[in-house]
Amino acid sequence: MTTNTQTAPARGGTSSPAGPGDRRSRRPRAGGPGLRHRWRDLASRWVFLAPALVILAAVLAYPLFYTVWISFSELDLATFTPARSVGWMNYRTVLEDPGFLNSLKVTGVYLALALPLQMLLGFGIAFLLNVEWRGRGVLRALFLIPMVVVPVVAGGVWKMLLDPLWGFVNYVLGLVGIGPVNWLSDPTLAMVSLVLIDTWRWTPFVVLIASAGIMSLPGDVLEAARVDGAGWWATLRKIVLPLLAPVILAAFIVRWLGAVKMFDIALAATKGGPGQATDVVNLYIYEKAFRSLEFGTASSMATMVLAITMVLTFLFLRLNRYLEKRW
Amino acid sequence: MRSFPRAMRGTTRRAVLAGGLAAVLTASLAACGSSDDEVTGGGVGTAEKPVSIRMIANDAFARQWQDQMVPEFNKLYPNIKVTIDGVPYGDLLAKEMLELTAPDPTYDLIVADDPWIPQLAKTGGLADLKGDLGKFTKADYDWDDFNTGPLAAGEWQGKQYSVPVRSNELLMFYNKTLYAKAGLPEPTPKLTWQQYLEQAPKLVQDTNKDGKPDAWAVGTYFTKDPLTPTIWQTILNSNGGQLLDGDNKPAFNTPAGVAALQTHIDLLKYAPPGAATYQFNEPLEAFRQGKTATMFMWGSVYKGTAVDPKTTTLKPEQVGIQVMPVGSLSAGAHRGMWTAAVAKKSKQAEASWTLLQWLSSKQGEQWQSNTLGVFPARKSTLSSTPQQEWLVPVFKAIADGYVAIDAGKMWRPKLPESDAIQQILATQTSRAMSGQATAEQALQTAADEVSKLLKSKGY
């Protein structure tokens, strides 16, 4: 399969540009020029790696370490530094916080609704765009517009569009005798609205990945299926979907990582309300940190969410690898 | 004089740190620094060596101040260069906290909303205006001329950290035309909540006779927002209740509290469709478009609501303003002062305090009121005859409001945890508003959470 044939040489090639065979032939002899060569080779690699490592440490490792540190501390607001260690107290507080547990549940519901919807729509639209028809290129370009809209702006604009008194959506629904619908003030509809806004924004991204995957499908296999008399449904079910499975999962993982940290659309559109109906976990953490200035507990929440996200992402990646090997 | 690049270095470093943390925490943490207890004056500048000061303020009025107030101030003090940076309301408190705890703060002046002063003062980053800066206070600066409520907004634990620079109160706006169409008498400051709720159904009207309502009784805060609970808090206060008792224990989970919240919820029945999402702009827009007969809103919006044709369809003769309806104790109002403080680490404390003194002086306040329509805090200003006629009823409403505020202690908790308490109340108010909980259940949960919060802080 395309994916496998591309990854196989890469695995060998990552350790040395010369390849495994060359590496064996250059095994150093004690004290000889081979050892010097190896050390110089190693040193040069580290020199090239160093800038990236320094940047990564500064922008990723340090904030991560600092967040974990604060999660075990009481932050002194007078100096904005950890004042004293409080052990696991912040974590115990978080686990007893019904608001945090509710926000995890809300996030779960949001992910369970938004991700499958975006995947279905994304791949469905990609299939349609893959067929030759006039205006396909223009539509493909238009599809990218929502992706470049700033999330807070998207949330704010949709809030206006969904307003029962002034909004365009209710105006259109009113023409056919429906409404006015309280999109953002009903707890259930508010979550539906949030999912729809996020889907509007991110489905084009899935379309983009899916289109690339569909275009890379091997034509000879599809041709062989056609010769063997397979219909479109059989081709889709037995050939296309299995071949696309790693792409689908890869798109899912990328979207999962994006969706799990979503909070800006919720902030702009609903502020997590009504009540706690759309209080996704990152919004809850944001409010806890920035509004209530509870940095210790907010850091504990962030650390816990990070751990949960890492575990689930790891499982998804394992599943992806399994699917790649299976087909 | 602070150079711009130096000021920016501090900002950039914190911005980088905050940006990194945001990836994990969506919060920002600033670098620590040494504390400097000594407030340096720095003088007020000379023609040869002017001084520069920088202010952080809400973006709602920062531009107006920069364009109009600063040139007026510079007529008197031409050697003090003032730069004002506007920050959106939602980001302002966090940014100010970061500023005050930074080793080399960018800002000399901090403009803060009413409940923020204890939180900001607790960092140790604000100068005591009467203590630290007392030596720079002009002899004719009249502290006693301030109404007690506005001045108290800048006081915490016996120290005066800030002075009122833009006063505000929750007041009742009403559309006289819609009252006349409904055949109701115009409200007076003696209107009670009971009378108001009896009239409210009649204010939901079909003014164009197409069979559908096109005007409603009320618009105000209903959504999940820290300012939304101020509506029912004011109702509670006007009935003699308080949010916290003298020992800082929740005192709102009472029949009076439940009744106050229920009144707020009941207002929703007479509000436009979708009003449950109303925050600040939506009720304002509905009222300015003539869609609502009354609005419980910050009084400072009066000019844009009744006078300025660029922002409203209404005219001054159509818009009434007064205190909120009367409860068993008093009429209602809710204090919402913007006060300004001097950063303790400012190298230009004297020039900064000079600006604040002018802005909050009798002269400066009258200029602000007459030119910008800003609400005053001084008795002398309120008892003067304003240059603009539309300010006459406004001044009366403000004065009545100050009386009500003092009588009912109508302000948010004066604690460093004030914002956290408002967050809890906002969430539970929203739950009750959307039917996810009853008023009783919501207040019970809020009381439990506030108790837990305050207990964890050692109260």
Side-chain angles (χ1 to χ4, degrees), chain A residues 51-321:
Chain A
L53 288 175
V54 169
I55 292 169
L56 270 178
V59 302
L60 193 65
Y62 175 68
L64 199 66
F65 166 75
Y66 203 65
T67 303
V68 175
W69 185 21
I70 294 169
S71 75
F72 288 103
S73 314
E74 183 183 293
L75 194 81
D76 180 6
L77 286 179
T79 58
F80 252 90
T81 51
R84 65 185 178 94
S85 172
V86 293
W88 292 93
M89 194 186 81
N90 287 333
Y91 287 88
R92 280 198 297 273
T93 306
V94 166
L95 288 173
E96 289 168 6
D97 180 355
F100 176 67
L101 301 177
N102 175 75
S103 72
L104 285 178
K105 198 172 87 182
V106 168
T107 308
V109 172
Y110 153 73
L111 291 171
L113 291 172
L115 290 183
L117 183 64
Q118 289 169 21
M119 300 309 292
L120 275 173
L121 280 175
F123 276 83
I125 292 168
F127 274 117
L128 289 177
L129 288 177
N130 196 45
V131 182
E132 284 287 348
W133 50 282
R134 269 174 75 88
R136 183 179 69 153
V138 177
L139 196 70
R140 197 178 267 168
L142 287 175
F143 256 108
L144 298 179
I145 291 174
M147 271 174 65
V148 296
V149 176
V150 178
V152 173
V153 175
V157 168
W158 273 99
K159 190 180 175 187
M160 286 192 272
L161 290 172
L162 295 173
D163 186 280
L165 190 59
W166 317 98
F168 179 72
V169 173
N170 275 305
Y171 170 75
V172 173
L173 290 175
L175 294 177
V176 291
I178 301 173
V181 180
N182 287 326
W183 290 101
L184 299 175
S185 50
D186 176 86
T188 307
L189 283 178
M191 174 55 85
V192 171
S193 303
L194 207 62
V195 169
L196 290 178
I197 298 169
D198 198 56
T199 300
W200 169 82
R201 188 169 147 70
W202 284 111
T203 298
F205 174 75
V206 182
V207 171
L208 215 60
I209 295 183
S211 295
I214 291 167
M215 280 192 277
S216 69
L217 287 174
D220 51 345
V221 178
L222 297 172
E223 182 64 29
R226 204 164 26 246
V227 170
D228 288 346
W232 73 269
W233 174 245
T235 307
L236 179 73
R237 201 164 60 90
K238 304 266 185 176
I239 297 174
V240 174
L241 286 181
L243 285 174
L244 277 180
V247 180
I248 293 171
L249 198 60
F252 179 85
I253 291 169
V254 175
R255 269 312 296 135
W256 147 263
L257 288 172
V260 82
K261 65 185 183 190
M262 189 281 282
F263 89 105
D264 27 27
I265 290 176
L267 179 69
T270 62
K271 285 196 165 192
Q276 293 168 293
T278 57
D279 208 357
V280 288
V281 72
N282 281 304
L283 180 58
Y284 190 78
I285 295 172
Y286 170 84
E287 298 276 354
K288 209 70 170 170
F290 274 112
R291 298 292 309 200
S292 305
L293 301 176
E294 298 276 330
F295 286 97
T297 47
S299 299
S300 308
M301 290 174 192
T303 307
M304 287 169 72
V305 170
L306 180 70
I308 294 169
T309 309
M310 283 173 69
V311 168
L312 287 171
T313 306
F314 174 75
L315 292 175
F316 291 144
L317 287 171
R318 289 295 297 262
L319 182 62
N320 195 27
R321 185 169 293 182

Side-chain angles (χ1 to χ4, degrees), chain A residues 67 70 271 274-275 290 293, chain B residues 21 26 29 119 225 279 430 436:
Chain A
T67 303
I70 294 169
K271 285 196 165 192
F290 274 112
L293 301 176
Chain B
L21 257 181
T26 47
L29 301 165
Q119 202 162 329
D225 185 275
Q279 199 178 352
S430 177
Q436 295 173 76

Side-chain angles (χ1 to χ4, degrees), chain B residues 163-178:
Chain B
V163 284
V165 287
R166 290 180 83 97
S167 302
N168 218 344
E169 298 168 7
L170 272 180
L171 293 170
M172 175 176 168
F173 291 71
Y174 59 92
N175 182 320
K176 296 176 186 179
T177 310
L178 288 177

Side-chain angles (χ1 to χ4, degrees), chain B residues 143-362:
Chain B
W143 290 100
D144 297 332
D145 185 41
F146 283 110
N147 279 287
T148 50
L151 190 62
E155 183 267 337
W156 188 59
Q157 293 190 337
K159 290 182 178 174
Q160 191 71 41
Y161 289 105
S162 61
V163 284
V165 287
R166 290 180 83 97
S167 302
N168 218 344
E169 298 168 7
L170 272 180
L171 293 170
M172 175 176 168
F173 291 71
Y174 59 92
N175 182 320
K176 296 176 186 179
T177 310
L178 288 177
Y179 263 84
K181 278 186 182 168
L184 291 169
E186 277 182 29
T188 71
K190 291 184 178 170
L191 179 78
T192 64
W193 275 108
Q194 193 184 342
Q195 290 166 335
Y196 177 83
L197 290 170
E198 282 166 10
Q199 291 175 349
K202 293 177 191 159
L203 291 168
V204 181
Q205 304 177 76
D206 174 15
T207 59
N208 61 6
K209 307 296 176 196
D210 69 347
K212 288 185 285 188
D214 52 25
W216 290 266
V218 61
T220 190
Y221 288 91
F222 288 113
T223 194
K224 185 183 176 186
D225 185 275
L227 289 173
T228 299
T230 57
I231 302 297
W232 66 261
Q233 283 168 30
T234 306
I235 302 171
L236 175 64
N237 293 155
S238 62
N239 284 317
Q242 287 294 310
L243 272 191
L244 304 178
D245 64 16
D247 298 323
N248 289 320
K249 300 277 186 294
F252 54 83
N253 187 21
T254 59
V258 172
L261 176 54
Q262 192 58 53
T263 302
H264 190 181
I265 295 166
D266 289 345
L267 294 179
L268 205 49
K269 294 178 200 163
Y270 313 113
T277 60
Y278 275 19
Q279 199 178 352
F280 174 76
N281 287 317
E282 297 86 352
L284 200 56
E285 205 48 46
F287 189 84
R288 288 174 175 178
Q289 298 286 331
K291 295 285 181 191
T292 50
T294 64
M295 172 173 72
F296 300 113
M297 182 49 68
W298 300 102
S300 60
V301 302
Y302 185 88
K303 190 180 179 189
T305 300
V307 182
D308 190 349
K310 288 180 198 155
T311 53
T312 183
T313 62
L314 305 173
K315 294 187 167 51
E317 58 271 21
Q318 286 179 285
V319 182
I321 185 167
Q322 62 174 45
V323 282
M324 285 170 65
V326 177
S328 60
L329 176 76
S330 68
H334 184 89
R335 197 180 70 193
M337 300 293 140
W338 282 104
T339 65
V342 177
K344 202 164 190 171
K345 290 174 191 159
S346 168
K347 303 289 189 296
Q348 306 297 346
E350 187 178 354
S352 302
W353 179 218
T354 299
L355 170 62
L356 291 193
Q357 283 182 80
W358 173 79
L359 191 56
S360 59
S361 68
K362 293 175 185 176

